[in-house]
Amino acid sequence: MCAASVVLLFLFLSSITSAAAEETNSHISLSSSLTPINNPSWFSSSGTFAFGFYHTPNGYAVCISFSSYLDRSSTVVWTANTEDPIVPNNVVLLLTEGGLVLQNSVSKETLSKIGNSSQPIAGASMLDNGNFVLLNSRGSVVWQTIDHLTNSLLPGHRLSPGAQLLSHASETDLKKGFFRLKMQTDGNLVLYDSDSLDVSEDAYYASRTDGRGNNISLNLESDGHLYLFDGTSIVMNITMGGNPASGVLYLVRIDADGIFRVYNRSLQRQDDWRSIWSVTEDRCLPKGLCGINSYCRYKDGNAADCRCLPGYDPIGSVVWGAGCTAKLVVDCSDKDQSSKFMMTRIQNVTWEDNYYSVLDGSSEQGCEEACLKDCSCHVALFRDGQCRKQKLPLRYGRWLKVEDVAFVRVSKSSTGSSWPLRHKRRHFDLHVILGVSSGTVGLLILSFVIIYSTRRRRRWRKEDKLKMEKFLLKHQSLAPKRYSCKQLKKITKCFRDELGRGAFGIVYKGKLSDGQLVAVKVLKESHDNAEEFINEVVSISRTSHVNIVNLLGFCYHRNKRALLYEFMPNKSLDKFICKGGSTLEWKILYEVAVGVARGLEYLHRGCNTRIVHFDIKPQNILLDQDFCPKISDFGLAKLCMKKQSAISMLGTRGTVGYIAPEVFSRNFGVASHKSDVYSYGIMLLHMVGSKYVEMVSDIYFWDKVYERVLMQNERVDDLVTEEEEESARKMLMVGFWCIQTSPMERPSISKAVEMLEGKLQSIHIPPRPFLLSSPPPQISSFISCNCRCAKLDSNSHPTPCSCLVANIKTNG
Ligand SMILES: *[C@@H]1O[C@H](CO)[C@@H](O)[C@H](O)[C@H]1NC(C)=O
Ligand SMILES: *[C@@H]1O[C@H](CO)[C@@H](O)[C@H](O)[C@H]1NC(C)=O
Ligand SMILES: *[C@@H]1O[C@H](CO)[C@@H](O)[C@H](O)[C@H]1NC(C)=O
Ligand SMILES: *[C@@H]1O[C@H](CO)[C@@H](O)[C@H](O)[C@H]1NC(C)=O
Ligand SMILES: *[C@@H]1O[C@H](CO)[C@@H](O)[C@H](O)[C@H]1NC(C)=O
């Protein structure tokens, strides 16, 4: 008995000492440093993991990997800065009080920082479970890599609600790739095309556990058990585990091919990872694996291969998955399309169902002919007696045994054209991508900017007409009344009373036969904005809200288009706020602010259709006799039912100043409902500013307001009541919140309503918006590109990159 306790005591003591040894072994003290070649890594105590410089074919990256003493590449489980992981060779990684900094080894200039904390750092450690931590002086963790997972999940770690894993661009390129695994806050675990928003059209796997709580996380245990857990119970078992836990390593990863897998390996270093579970065996399932105008097909068993549509060639011969293009110059004035083009029939290929026109009751042959005749039809899909005409680009193509037959427009003369690529290798495979340098991609992007940034004029095509007729038929009961040109003349007394003019056309006052006053917006005769017109009619007729202008009718006849709205005696908000020295009382300004926010909230949260307006500005806020605001002018509005909000803003006519930065440049985020929030914020500020004449002339006006009112708590206005002061202050605070540069930091419009109507004390002070920092930044002209996501602008050109060149002057 006594001997047994001695043994126990011994075991106890030895476990303590080994734990202490572990700590000291892996503890990294301040001023420790790493360099890529001579001293690349810090190891965990057992030597399983290494943190530091990792050699890739493109250069060094800062990573955590399974350490490898043998001369072969080890597996990376975490990467610093996935947007741009490659660092120069002449750097040093130094642990300082301010964090882990990457410096130029000669100039000592700081290039980037890994890990941030408000507390001073006193040490760091590469733990044996694969977590790299920064510690404060008390030894507590202040930053850790498991809070910023990249492509892998290790045993004992979890992917928390809202977090995601990102695939690498390829097996050897550690940059952010084309796929992501998101643990959504709604409880669903979803795989998406990495450029997409979280919309179901772009998803290719979902655990279907949404609605099971908002604290569901993905967890991996050391026996290989992978499951969704809500904090108290298991929501779903993905793999059952129960495998040996000692001597075996497990790893969950979203691979470069978009498939999410569980791997195991023995501790023996020469052993290799083996996939023991994978979300699918279908290698063509990941959406976006093959780029636009191509499709995925199996090759040799189940390896995925991307192939171009007939007549199309890879964009860049080596970029796997970059998609395909054809040099088809379709001249719409040419009545005889069949002299230049023909249709090629393909079978068993499908892609995203995104037709612009559908012909019912057609035959296969009829479908082929209809597409050939229609200069904007590039591909027609014949399915169940329906002919679905589509424009480029096509997304998510894949080979599947289906009944569908597709017809692809190809050039008859392509053999004699200056496009000899037809004879080149048509398909390109997974292995080729591994050697691609990012420089090639950059060049490609640039050439596409040049080739495709000129937008073609859009005509009032037959399809637009068809679309309109179809819409009218479908929404007979809901659609606004249609008026003829003759009736319009009568209503407006031959267009006598002009109310206003804009870029779009002229607004006239009119009177219906029942005596109701109307505003008639006659659009400029143009071939360009057919789509906008339809958008406007469709968008507004689906809405009904006190803060949204009521569409009473429309006129549509060839190029003549007009919209009839209820008449607003007080015209638009800009008449009151744009000059400075506004006469509107604070109370009215505040009510207008709340009304506009409510109208926007209705648009953004609409139950069957979500609408993003994209052109919120005072000119588009109409005021009725009681100064009740009504949002108007839905020309740019996009219905976001299908594509949510990833929208090409080519040809935008939103108003500079009111346009959110992400609408110009993808660097700031993706255009979305938060872009409306930005415009709304600018408008709120202008409403407050309208009380001051200085707003117009003083370029530092907003800096002063931010400084004095928000920071130093000065009153907004001296002569007003407490209640008015509070409303004005709320408008300012909400305004500053709404114009944050990052869309994520802006509140939703519902939250803005809540803040405006709630207590002033419960609104936090907004960070100083970037655009206010003085001196104002001089943004001259910049180009933004949105590649790979192939935003489906309903343009007849292939637009693999939607680009926008904007000239913005920020001062004066
Ligand atoms: C660290 O950086 C993130 C993102 O840049 C930021 O949200 C967070 O507030 C920072 N944390 C600290 C303690 O500075
Ligand atoms: C959420 O779940 C995690 C475990 O998965 C748990 O630690 C945490 O306490 C839970 N949070 C809440 C708010 O329930
Ligand atoms: C998940 O697996 C565990 C055993 O590993 C089992 O006890 C549990 O009931 C399973 N839960 C579900 C939801 O299947
Ligand atoms: C990996 O897991 C499988 C069962 O899923 C098991 O058969 C195999 O032995 C494991 N590999 C190692 C190296 O333990
Ligand atoms: C398409 O699939 C069917 C089977 O559904 C097959 O009989 C046919 O040969 C396939 N066509 C082509 C062109 O591969």
Side-chain angles (χ1 to χ4, degrees), residues 513-533:
S513 51
D514 65 3
Q516 184 177 3
L517 290 177
V518 289
V520 180
K521 176 166 141 185
V522 179
L523 303 177
K524 275 199 184 125
E525 268 190 42
S526 134
H527 301 284
D528 269 357
N529 54 6
E531 192 118 355
E532 279 186 15
F533 179 74

Side-chain angles (χ1 to χ4, degrees), residues 560-581:
K560 297 214 169 17
R561 271 157 277 151
L563 295 163
L564 279 73
Y565 296 107
E566 47 187 338
F567 177 73
M568 295 290 148
N570 279 316
K571 300 189 177 164
S572 52
L573 184 59
D574 59 310
K575 306 280 180 303
F576 298 93
I577 69 166
C578 282
K579 300 245 162 55

Side-chain angles (χ1 to χ4, degrees), residues 692-756:
Y692 305 84
V693 245
E694 303 90 304
M695 177 181 79
V696 187
S697 53
D698 183 353
I699 59 166
Y700 297 108
F701 178 73
W702 290 112
D703 285 294
K704 289 178 189 160
V705 170
Y706 184 89
E707 196 52 41
R708 288 188 193 156
V709 180
L710 268 60
M711 297 284 104
Q712 289 157 22
N713 227 2
E714 284 181 26
R715 285 178 70 96
V716 180
D717 191 343
D718 281 340
L719 302 170
V720 298
T721 65
E722 268 322 304
E723 195 190 341
E724 286 174 321
E725 170 70 24
E726 182 162 333
S727 310
R729 205 167 259 275
K730 282 197 280 192
M731 287 166 70
L732 263 183
M733 303 266 255
V734 175
F736 280 120
W737 269 117
C738 292
I739 65 165
Q740 296 296 314
T741 310
S742 160
M744 313 244 284
E745 279 168 26
R746 295 172 211 152
S748 68
I749 197 70
S750 310
K751 179 76 192 163
V753 172
E754 200 183 301
M755 290 198 270
L756 280 175

Side-chain angles (χ1 to χ4, degrees), residues 212 223 225 227-228 234-242:
R212 306 277 297 273
D223 65 350
H225 185 200
Y227 57 98
L228 295 175
I234 293 181
V235 174
M236 181 182 172
N237 285 318
I238 296 177
T239 59
M240 287 311 289

Side-chain angles (χ1 to χ4, degrees), residues 587-637:
K587 187 165 170 289
I588 290 180
L589 284 174
Y590 172 74
E591 277 164 7
V592 168
V594 173
V596 174
R598 287 232 186 88
L600 263 182
E601 183 185 27
Y602 172 84
L603 292 178
H604 289 180
R605 301 182 50 168
C607 36
N608 48 13
T609 325
R610 307 178 88 200
I611 296 172
V612 184
H613 189 283
F614 279 126
D615 202 13
I616 293 293
K617 58 182 176 183
Q619 287 83 345
N620 289 336
I621 306 302
L622 305 182
L623 300 169
D624 76 0
Q625 65 279 8
D626 304 319
F627 284 93
C628 171
K630 314 236 175 199
I631 300 173
S632 78
D633 202 343
F634 286 62
L636 290 182

Side-chain angles (χ1 to χ4, degrees), residues 171 280 337:
E171 274 176 46
T280 175
Q337 295 284 331

Side-chain angles (χ1 to χ4, degrees), residues 657-691:
Y658 286 87
I659 301 176
E662 68 273 12
V663 175
F664 286 115
S665 169
R666 182 86 201 265
N667 294 341
F668 294 102
V670 179
S672 72
H673 59 102
K674 290 285 181 76
S675 314
D676 277 353
V677 170
Y678 181 92
S679 310
Y680 174 75
I682 296 279
M683 198 178 86
L684 274 190
L685 295 183
H686 276 241
M687 287 166 73
V688 175
S690 71
K691 285 290 197 182

Side-chain angles (χ1 to χ4, degrees), residues 406-417:
F407 298 97
V408 182
R409 177 185 292 265
V410 293
S411 182
K412 268 187 173 170
S413 61
S414 51
T415 36
S417 79

